[in-house]
Amino acid sequence: MLFGRRNVSAGLFVSNRSYVYLALEGEGWSAKVSASSAGALPESVACGASLFSASAKELKDIFRFVSDTAKPARGGLNFAVPMNASLLRVASMPGLTRDEARKAFRYEVERHFPFNAEDCVFDLDEIDYPLGGGSCERRFVVSAARRAQAEAVYGAARACGLRFAAMEPEQVALERAAASELGRVDGRVYVYAGEENLLVLFSWRGKGIFYRNSPVSTKDVPGALDDAAAALADEVRGSVEFGLSRNDGFSFDELCLFGPCASGRLRAALEDCFPERTVKAIFPERRFGLDFPHEEGWTAALGLALRGYDCQA
């Protein structure tokens, strides 16, 4: 059956060494996983430090392998821009609609990002931004990536028969996956413990308003995350305190931990660091009857596949 004839939404996560593909089919809370595939890239195909710094040949080799191996849907793929290749900022543009803000932001790019409008691709979304005292202000969260890198990835995928419906930051996909199993509250802090990244993000009324990523490498030392749990929890607390200093109106009662390296010891260390908050581990995949392996990419792929769904309870 042709992809467009069913309500199917698919996510594709590709790193420099592996890929995850996941597709959902159905309506809202009745959506079910209709297809999934994951695997390591062979040494002959894997690239250097980042997919977004790979050469044109490396990109074509990677996407040809993914296309031949996963056999994903040929259209409507949502693709994750990795954390190290995307930036997110909050911008205030009072009185503008989303379309007006998108046009106006071209003249504001250099105030928020380390490149100009010609060198980047960006998109924005409306958010309620907390000001304190129970009041909010309408602002925009802007995501951006370097144009040359994004176009190289998009072109290589397209040449291999993969059509992207959207390219969005991995951080946004992770947040969407985490929020899919939780009811909406005013403020919540999410902590994603990945194999190479520790992400802290503030969510206000279902939309991210602050993102901070810290590089963490645990893949070469088994158990390293548990051994460093106290130090990682301190890193989280530092990120939360920094975020609160920049977002005076934000408050939260709940901190949610998830990801392939979200160990019980890390949760306990976070409880020690945040004795005044509720700290809980969440497992977004269990809504769909799945148990993800402790590997990078699965949660992001789920969040990408959920892009077309209303994930709030």
Side-chain angles (χ1 to χ4, degrees), residues 36 93 106 114 191 203 214 249 288:
S36 66
M93 289 180 278
R106 290 185 56 82
V191 177
S203 176
S214 302
F288 302 95

Side-chain angles (χ1 to χ4, degrees), residues 86-167:
S86 61
L87 295 171
L88 294 109
R89 301 285 188 269
V90 173
S92 178
M93 289 180 278
L96 299 185
T97 67
R98 182 177 178 181
D99 288 341
E100 290 170 341
R102 187 180 289 110
K103 294 175 183 177
F105 192 78
R106 290 185 56 82
Y107 304 99
E108 300 286 326
V109 168
E110 292 182 63
R111 289 184 53 200
H112 297 272
F113 299 108
F115 33 70
N116 59 41
E118 287 69 32
D119 294 334
C120 81
V121 289
F122 69 87
D123 199 4
L124 48 78
D125 194 14
E126 296 180 41
I127 59 172
D128 286 329
Y129 191 84
L131 298 178
S135 64
C136 289
E137 179 180 85
R138 184 171 155 279
R139 296 188 184 181
F140 297 90
V141 60
V142 187
S143 57
R146 292 193 178 276
R147 180 181 298 276
Q149 295 175 339
E151 289 181 348
V153 169
Y154 179 86
R158 188 178 180 88
C160 297
L162 303 176
R163 305 296 176 93
F164 294 162
M167 296 175 69

Side-chain angles (χ1 to χ4, degrees), residues 159-211:
C160 297
L162 303 176
R163 305 296 176 93
F164 294 162
M167 296 175 69
E168 73 173 5
E170 179 185 355
Q171 302 95 303
V172 176
L174 290 170
E175 179 188 7
R176 186 183 299 112
S180 68
E181 70 161 283
L182 300 171
R184 180 175 292 187
V185 297
D186 276 354
R188 180 180 281 129
V189 171
Y190 293 105
V191 177
Y192 173 77
E195 294 178 351
E196 296 182 343
N197 295 283
L198 186 69
L199 174 68
V200 173
L201 66 90
F202 292 1
S203 176
W204 184 258
R205 297 181 180 175
K207 295 288 184 72
I209 65 166
F210 171 80
Y211 303 80

